[in-house]
Amino acid sequence: MPAQPFVDKLNEQIANEFAAHQQYVACAVYYDSQALPQLARFFYRQALEERGHAMMMVQFLLDTGAEVTTPGVAEPRSRFADLVEPLALALDQEQRVSEQINALAATAREAGDYTSEQFVQWFIKEQIEEVATMSALLRVAERSREDAANIEDFLAREHPGDEAGDPTAPQAAGAG
Ligand SMILES: [Fe+2]
Ligand SMILES: [Fe+2]
């Protein structure tokens, strides 16, 4: 069984990941409403990734016989002033999640729970990528205030479709 402080924190993180899912759906819907299909597509896909993270955490708790609670989530922000704001919010969110994931690793280590610490490693690596992607997109968005075609073209070129699944990713509940 994972250490109880880790189980409690991981259940909180499941809520954070579902909240990230909802927030990214809200960003995608905003971009769709602004006729920015590449930004919308990027955020719809990002939302699914966040749901995937939550379900990987659910599967870990199931596999280790720990308690899982299915959380409610706070309402996401869905009004934005321009195309830059959702990306600024997304970068903020990813930086916050990186801190949360590091805190999870620290909790596992303090408890001598190396199984849980190892589980968290994949998420540490994933967060480096997500923060890098969002900060690059935010910079492109800031250059695209006058011409949204700029960031739409960038996304079509640099993030064309579903990236191949990561074979090192933890199993997600309900996916197998
Ligand atoms: Fe996530
Ligand atoms: Fe993320």
Side-chain angles (χ1 to χ4, degrees), residues 150-162:
N150 192 9
I151 189 164
E152 288 281 288
D153 291 347
F154 178 88
L155 278 166
R157 199 170 62 238
E158 303 293 328
H159 297 273
D162 288 325

Side-chain angles (χ1 to χ4, degrees), residues 41-43 45-46 49 53 122 126 129-130 133 137 154-167 169:
R41 187 180 54 86
F42 175 82
F43 273 98
R45 206 171 58 208
Q46 212 59 36
E49 278 194 22
H53 296 161
W122 182 84
E126 175 74 1
E129 270 177 45
E130 300 220 327
T133 301
L137 277 180
F154 178 88
L155 278 166
R157 199 170 62 238
E158 303 293 328
H159 297 273
D162 288 325
E163 282 114 57
D166 176 352

Side-chain angles (χ1 to χ4, degrees), residues 83 139-152:
L83 69 81
R139 287 197 299 274
V140 178
E142 278 162 352
R143 296 201 295 268
S144 309
R145 285 181 192 276
E146 304 304 316
D147 183 8
N150 192 9
I151 189 164
E152 288 281 288

